[in-house]
Structures are given as C-alpha cells and as structure tokens.
Amino acid sequence: MKQEWSTLQYTVIFLILSTLFIGCNQDKGNKISFASKESSKFDSLARINPQEARRITDEVLQRAELTDNDSLFLQGYYYKTIINVNSGLSDKVREDSEKALKYSDKIGEENYKHKIYTVLGKFYVQNNEYTVALDYYLKARDYFQSQNDMINLAVSYNGLGILYFEMGDYDNSVINFNKAYTIYTKVGNKRGIGVFYANLGSVFSTKSDFKRANFYQKKSLDIFNSLNDTVSIASCMINISNNDRELKNYDSSFKMLDEALRLSEKINNDRLKERVLHNLGLNYLAKRDLKNAHYYFNEELSLSDKMKFAGGRLGALEQLSYVTKLQGRYADHALMTERYYKLKDSVFGSEVKQKIEELKWANEFEKSSLEKKLLLSKYQIEREKSSLLLIVSVMIGIVSVLVLGIVWLFFRNNKKSLKLSEIENERLQEKIDFEHLNFEKEKAEKEILKLRSVHQDLELETKNREITSISLQLLGKNNLMAEIAEILDKNSKTPNKIESDLRSILFHNQNQKKDWEKFREVFEKVHPGFFTEIKSRFSSLTATDIRICAYIRIRMSLNEVASLLNISLQSLHTSRYRIRKKLNLDTQQSLDDFICEIVTGNNNV
C-alpha cells in the first residue's frame, strides 16, 4: 500500500508541474506561429520550384556563415533536409538533419525540431525503416497537439496514414488520413485536400477498385496542377498510370508515365524517376514486351544503386528475376534470384519484430495521451473550484487522487495483459516468418538445381554426338588405312595393279550399306536399345526412315544427313514430313525433340 500511495503522490506532483510548464510556455505562441508559417511556405516552394528552393537555401546558409547566426543555420539545414528527401539523396538527409537538430537544441527551437521529425518520418518510411519513422511521427504529433498547431498536426496525421498504408494496416491508415482531411478542410488548406484525395485513391487501388481509385487520383491531380506542385503532379500521374495498366488502358498509362518521367528529369528528382522506371517496366511486362521490360528494370536497378535505395533495388531485382526466367535466360535468372533473396534477408530479416515494436509504440502513445488528458482535466476542475471553502477543495482533491489511483491500477493491469499478448504474438510471428523464409530458400534452391540438370543434359547430349562422330571417323579411317597398307606391302604388284586396287578400295568405302552397318555398330554402343525401341513402337517406319531418325538422334544437320544419304535437301524434307505422319505428331511438336526423347522413354505414344 505504501508503494501505491507514493506513486499516486508522484502523479499529482507531475500534474501540477506539467500545468505550470504549459502556462509558462504560452508566451512562445507567436514565435511558433511565425516559424510554422515561414517553413510551410518553403515546403510548398520545394515541391513547386526545386531550383528556386535550392537558391534560397544557399542564400540562407551564406548569410548564416557571414553573421554566425544559429537561427539561420537551423533554417538553412532544415531547408536542405526537405530538398534532399524530395530528391532521394539518402546520405545528405542524415547529415543535414543532424546539423538542423543540433542547432534547434542549441537555441531551444522546439517547433522547427518537431517539423524536422515529420520530414525524417517521411524519409524513413521511404527507406522501409518503419519503427524509426513511427517514433519520429509520434513525437511530432504529440508536440503539435500540445501546442494546438493544427497545420503541422495535420502533416503528422498524414504521415502516420502513409506509414500505416506501407505496413498494410489500411484501417489505421484511413483513420489518420481522415483526421488530416478534417483539419485541412477546417483551415482551408487546398494542397492538403489534394494530398487526401491522392492517398484515398491509393487505398482503393489496394482494394482493386481501380476506377474509383482513378476518380480520386484525378481530383488530386487537378488540385496539384492549379498549385503547380511538380512533385505531387508527377506522383499522381504515376498512380493513375498504375490504375490504367490494371484496367488494360495501356496507351493512357504510357502517356502518363512519359510525362511523369519528363517532370522528374526536369526537377532532377531521382526518387520520382526510379518510380517511373519501375512502372514503365511493369507496363512492358504486362504487354509481354520482355526486352523493354528488362531494359527499364535494369535502369531502375542502376538508379537505385546510385541512390543507395534498398526498396528500389528489391523491386528491380524481383522483376528482373521474373523477366529473365520468361526469356529462358536461366543463368541470369538464378543470379538475380540469389541477389534478391540476399538483399531481402538483409532488409526485411527483422520485419516481424519491427511491426510488433511499431504496434507497441502506438499503444504506449495512446495510453500516454489518455493519461495526460485525464490528469489535465482533473487539474482544471481543481483550478475552477479554487474559490470554494478549503474543506471542499480537500474533499475534491481526495476524490481526484482516488480516481487517478483507479485509472492507474486499471492501466497497470491492462499493460500486463497487453505485454503477455505481445509476447505470444511475437513468438507466433517469428515462427511464421521462419517457416516462410525456409520455404522461399528451398524454392530458390530447387530452381538452381533444375537449371544445373538442364545444363548437364545439354553437355551430355553434345558429348554423345561427339563420341559417335569421332568413333565413325576413327573406324572408317582405320579400315581404310589397313587396306591401303595391305596393298602397299605386296611388293610383287605392278604400279598399275596397285592403282587398280586403290580405286577398288575407294569404291568399296563409298558403299553406303557398308558405311551404315559400321555407323549402326558404333551408334548402338552410345545409344543402346534405340533401334529396338523405335521399331517396336513404330512398325510402319522403313529402314531409310529409321536411318534418318538415328541421324536426327545425334543432332546431325540437314546438310550432313542429305550428304550421307546422297539425296537432295528437298527429298530429305519430304522424308521428314513422311516420318512425322507415321509418328502421328502435331504441327506444334518438334520432330527432333521427339526422336531425342525416345531412347529415355519420355514420350507416351
């Protein structure tokens, strides 16, 4: 009991100190309002005219250097952070945001500090670091809510909506988008309303309602066109092109992407350009133009490597793996698949833990917000009744303490239940993630083994043909040389007799029947059972037909076969057509592949 009462006393003291702190900071309202308006104007300028925004940023930092003014340094590095996030310059974002936060702490500028948090939240969402992003967005939302800064509060809500959307939690995403929209409508923020329509269109796209998604995206595009917001215009065009592709409106989709590519290059925004390249690849893939699809995904991969953007690399590698497989480039497919899974493991290996941590942060913040509201409410009641008698004030204080004690006990018990539930969920999610990773790895290994098997079969086929050809050449050569040597060894013969015998040998070596028997003898050693199998299955084949089939089996060219049979190519084509009829082959079936598979028993006739 003593421990519980001491905690309650501490809570009451915290309530009083918090209220005094809020009262002391009311004088800063004008400064915060001014900073908010000034930075909001630059946010719009950075989207509409990036070149002018860079010029202003350089000018601010030059004045800061000349005057050694900490406020100007803060302002300049904040501007640079916004520009770098919009341009996808990851390394610069971290460097410049650290400098901006250092100066905000140095001069005690909380408004700028929390605006930097919203920019960093957006940056870390783009880089799939959701836990870090959530931390920054919650801090910003908490602060702007306490300051009643509605414009920046709406920015925080919108950022949280995008974060939940990327995590696949569409219900929480829509809740936060609606909160932002309520504020944008109330303050008359036209751009904010346009952002809401774009986000709502993205939600409908995930639900495969592409016509409705395009309706909201086009409403958003009209608003951004009226504001000359280049980044948002290009982003809307990319979203509309995605919906058009799903609706099979390829001409419209390509038109939107071409214009978005032009805008991204105009403002030198590599992050936007990467999105355009990815979607151009998807368009060509949908149309089965594998050559162009491979080109644009490869361009996306190069640009993502340049930006050090893991999300872009993952998307490009995944699509390149699929495209090379469709192209039959199995070695490239295996390479892309291996690179994809290595990168995926490094980026998303802790994804399940990350999401649990994000949910825990959200729960903690909601509880903290509720406790703060309850404490503030109790304090206001005490303040309004300060004119009453002392005994009434004491009684109200006691009741307030009791209520706070009940609330605290309730949340303590609830927290324990949530903790147990989180532990169970974490174990379950880790098990599911582990099984999924094993399945993906086994699948990749099977693909690689299959490619190796195909490669080995091709090598074996080539070696068989080489063996057969070499054996025939050696056999013919040895027989010919033996006969010539025998004639030359007989010294009693006259030169005319020797010449006559040599001509006779040449004549006999041109005897096709004798050559065929020699060929058949060597062929049977390399492909045992071939002649027996083909005769038993296809009794209608003639001796010449079977001979042609044997030449096909060792992959002889048409010219080679025609020369061996001493017939024209036209006659050979006629013979092949006749063989196809006897084998009952469809027009789509390859005669060569069918004959090569007979010896392994792979055909069902």
Side-chain angles (χ1 to χ4, degrees), residues 49-171:
N49 191 342
Q51 290 81 5
E52 178 64 13
R54 289 190 180 91
R55 187 193 66 77
I56 291 174
T57 301
D58 292 340
E59 184 179 294
V60 170
L61 287 173
Q62 286 173 1
R63 284 192 286 127
E65 292 285 351
L66 290 173
T67 60
D68 196 24
N69 187 308
D70 291 340
S71 295
L72 289 177
F73 276 120
L74 167 60
Q75 187 180 11
Y77 286 119
Y78 168 71
Y79 288 172
K80 285 192 73 175
T81 302
I82 292 175
I83 293 172
N84 293 335
V85 170
N86 289 343
S87 302
L89 302 175
S90 301
D91 293 339
K92 294 290 185 181
V93 170
R94 291 184 174 89
E95 178 183 339
D96 293 328
S97 64
E98 285 179 4
K99 292 178 181 177
L101 288 173
K102 182 187 75 173
Y103 282 108
S104 67
D105 287 335
K106 184 176 181 180
I107 64 177
E109 177 51 80
E110 290 297 312
N111 184 267
Y112 260 117
K113 179 178 181 178
H114 288 86
K115 281 181 67 65
I116 294 168
Y117 285 168
T118 60
V119 178
L120 287 175
K122 176 182 177 181
F123 168 72
Y124 283 109
V125 167
Q126 291 176 353
N127 286 274
N128 303 320
E129 298 183 44
Y130 300 137
T131 303
V132 182
L134 184 64
D135 184 24
Y136 281 122
Y137 274 133
L138 291 179
K139 287 179 181 177
R141 184 182 72 173
D142 190 13
Y143 174 78
F144 293 130
Q145 201 169 39
S146 69
Q147 300 298 311
N148 199 29
D149 186 344
M150 302 306 290
I151 294 176
N152 286 313
L153 180 60
V155 174
S156 301
Y157 279 133
N158 185 70
L160 283 168
I162 294 172
L163 170 61
Y164 282 117
F165 178 86
E166 292 296 331
M167 291 168 56
D169 186 351
Y170 302 121
D171 291 337

Side-chain angles (χ1 to χ4, degrees), residues 234 238 256-258 260-262 264 271-281 296:
I238 294 171
M256 283 290 176
L257 289 176
D258 289 342
L261 181 61
R262 185 187 68 81
S264 67
R271 180 68 182 88
L272 271 177
K273 186 176 180 180
E274 179 270 333
R275 288 182 61 198
V276 175
L277 293 173
H278 184 80
N279 284 280
L280 280 169
Y296 283 107

Side-chain angles (χ1 to χ4, degrees), residues 240-279:
I240 292 171
S241 75
N242 288 339
N243 296 326
D244 283 338
R245 179 176 65 250
E246 296 296 337
L247 294 170
K248 310 298 183 186
N249 299 331
Y250 296 117
D251 290 342
S252 174
S253 181
F254 276 113
K255 183 178 179 182
M256 283 290 176
L257 289 176
D258 289 342
E259 180 61 18
L261 181 61
R262 185 187 68 81
L263 291 175
S264 67
E265 291 175 341
K266 177 182 177 182
I267 63 177
N268 195 27
N269 190 319
D270 287 341
R271 180 68 182 88
L272 271 177
K273 186 176 180 180
E274 179 270 333
R275 288 182 61 198
V276 175
L277 293 173
H278 184 80
N279 284 280

Side-chain angles (χ1 to χ4, degrees), residues 40 45 50 57 82 111 122 136 165 195 239 248 267-268 312 333 362 368 370 410 428 446 499-500 511 519 581 600:
S40 295
L45 180 64
T57 301
I82 292 175
N111 184 267
K122 176 182 177 181
Y136 281 122
F165 178 86
V195 169
N239 294 336
K248 310 298 183 186
I267 63 177
N268 195 27
H333 167 64
S368 173
L370 180 58
F410 170 76
L428 180 61
K446 287 179 181 178
E499 180 181 355
S500 175
N511 187 309
F519 171 85
K581 298 289 285 183
T600 60

